[in-house]
Amino acid sequence: MKLGCHISISKGYGAAVESAHRLGCESFQFFTKNPRAFKGKAADPDQAAKGRALLAEYGLTAVAHAPYITNLSTPDPELREISIASLVQDLENAEAYGAIGTVCHMGKHVGEGEEKGMERMIDTLNELLERYTGTCPLLLENTAGQGTELGTTLEQCVEVRSRVAQPHRIGFCFDTCHGFAAAAYRPENWEAFVEHARSIGYWQHLKAIHLNDSKFDHGSRKDRHANLGKGFIGEAGMATILSSPALTGMPVVLETPVETEDDYVPEMIYARHCRQAVDA
Ligand SMILES: [Zn+2]
Ligand SMILES: [Zn+2]
């Protein structure tokens, strides 16, 4: 696996790549812009070029993440337009920064029901991929199922991909906390879960993993990340997931609660220790 964590680009993209390397990351994730806002700046060409050169020099894999505020299933036409325009910019920035994909959460049906929410999401994605014609794939992230979130099952993620006009431009990102909270898997049955994910055409298009423990129990449908081994997935669960051969070569990014980015270092050491038997 290519282990890493979430890194801020507030000091510029080049500085973010330097930080990731300094912390011992093999991959890292960054927000394309302020995660709570739609309006962001276009990528600075100098920073982008500098960052891309550093990625190559250090052999780092970068994963972009769109703002949380985006709802691919919104019934509000104005919000839909703002979301699409925002995501076009996210994908353009991610491409300029050399990211392997841009992660975006599955939509929220906001009371309209799953079927309608799925329809709207597919419609929004079709328009997005018509307007953004670049090379960066959009990676749909599974959700914990808070409120009216779609995407608690892998089946639903696969369904969206198969129903859009350009499925080859859509991939997936799997969050271990969300999947656990949504009861999509149990850590003790991880290999059977991966097997199932392969059989329905999910794992083949999985481009990144968000590695987080969960502050709430299996099936709680709460999206609250815990530090590795300190939540309900626990040490044994984390060891099982991290020992999986299915993680080979995969960017595995921590989004756990930390005070500073340096706090990711001991957690990454812990994760590598759990993984050792497989990669050795
Ligand atoms: Zn996540
Ligand atoms: Zn989350």
Side-chain angles (χ1 to χ4, degrees):
M1 66 175 174
K2 296 178 196 162
L3 188 65
C5 60
H6 192 91
I7 300 279
S8 164
I9 60 162
S10 61
K11 293 197 178 95
Y13 187 62
V17 182
E18 289 285 12
S19 290
H21 177 66
R22 181 178 59 81
L23 298 182
C25 297
E26 296 156 301
S27 69
F28 72 101
Q29 178 175 268
F30 62 94
F31 282 122
T32 48
K33 54 195 181 222
N34 180 340
R36 312 264 166 221
F38 283 122
K39 281 213 170 108
K41 281 187 235 152
D44 175 72
D46 291 340
Q47 279 292 321
K50 187 180 165 202
R52 279 202 314 273
L54 288 170
L55 287 181
E57 186 184 336
Y58 299 141
L60 268 161
T61 299
V63 181
H65 199 307
Y68 292 124
I69 206 161
T70 311
N71 178 11
L72 292 169
S73 301
T74 181
D76 179 337
E78 207 175 321
L79 214 55
R80 179 178 181 274
E81 171 53 35
I82 295 171
S83 291
I84 294 173
S86 175
L87 273 167
V88 167
Q89 187 186 49
D90 293 325
L91 287 159
E92 284 170 353
N93 283 2
E95 185 178 335
Y97 289 146
I100 58 153
T102 301
V103 177
C104 181
H105 286 199
M106 289 279 285
K108 298 182 247 327
H109 67 71
V110 295
E112 288 205 317
E114 293 207 351
E115 206 175 314
K116 193 75 200 165
M118 288 286 278
E119 254 172 53
R120 290 198 192 281
M121 184 172 169
I122 288 151
D123 201 56
T124 305
L125 286 174
N126 281 338
E127 188 169 334
L128 170 68
L129 296 179
E130 265 172 40
R131 280 160 63 173
Y132 169 68
T133 54
T135 56
C136 185
L138 188 73
L139 309 181
L140 297 174
E141 180 172 357
N142 66 309
T143 62
Q146 291 196 141
T148 65
E149 281 175 344
L150 300 167
T152 54
T153 64
L154 301 192
E155 279 79 359
Q156 216 164 39
C157 299
V158 169
E159 186 187 334
V160 169
R161 185 178 185 277
S162 66
R163 283 173 64 188
V164 297
Q166 303 182 63
H168 61 282
R169 299 179 64 194
I170 303 279
F172 302 120
C173 170
F174 184 76
D175 187 304
T176 57
C177 166
H178 301 175
F180 180 78
Y185 77 98
R186 278 199 182 273
E188 53 272 33
N189 299 330
W190 179 260
E191 288 313 318
F193 168 71
V194 170
E195 209 38 61
H196 174 69
R198 282 208 179 96
S199 75
I200 62 168
Y202 179 90
W203 206 270
Q204 296 85 329
H205 305 292
L206 184 64
K207 302 296 176 207
I209 288 183
H210 286 168
L211 186 70
N212 302 305
D213 209 325
S214 174
K215 277 197 177 144
F216 290 92
D217 208 350
H218 189 259
S220 64
R221 296 178 75 101
K222 286 196 177 121
D223 181 1
R224 292 284 303 282
H225 303 182
N227 295 102
L228 304 185
K230 307 278 191 241
F232 278 87
I233 295 175
E235 293 201 0
M238 274 299 155
T240 303
I241 295 170
L242 281 159
S243 304
S244 174
L247 266 54
T248 302
M250 187 81 72
V252 174
V253 178
L254 275 68
E255 301 173 309
T256 50
V258 287
E259 297 273 316
T260 70
E261 285 167 357
D262 285 17
D263 295 344
Y264 282 123
V265 174
E267 246 184 315
M268 290 196 285
I269 290 169
Y270 169 77
R272 280 205 185 90
H273 177 76
C274 289
R275 175 79 180 166
Q276 239 168 32
V278 186
D279 277 348

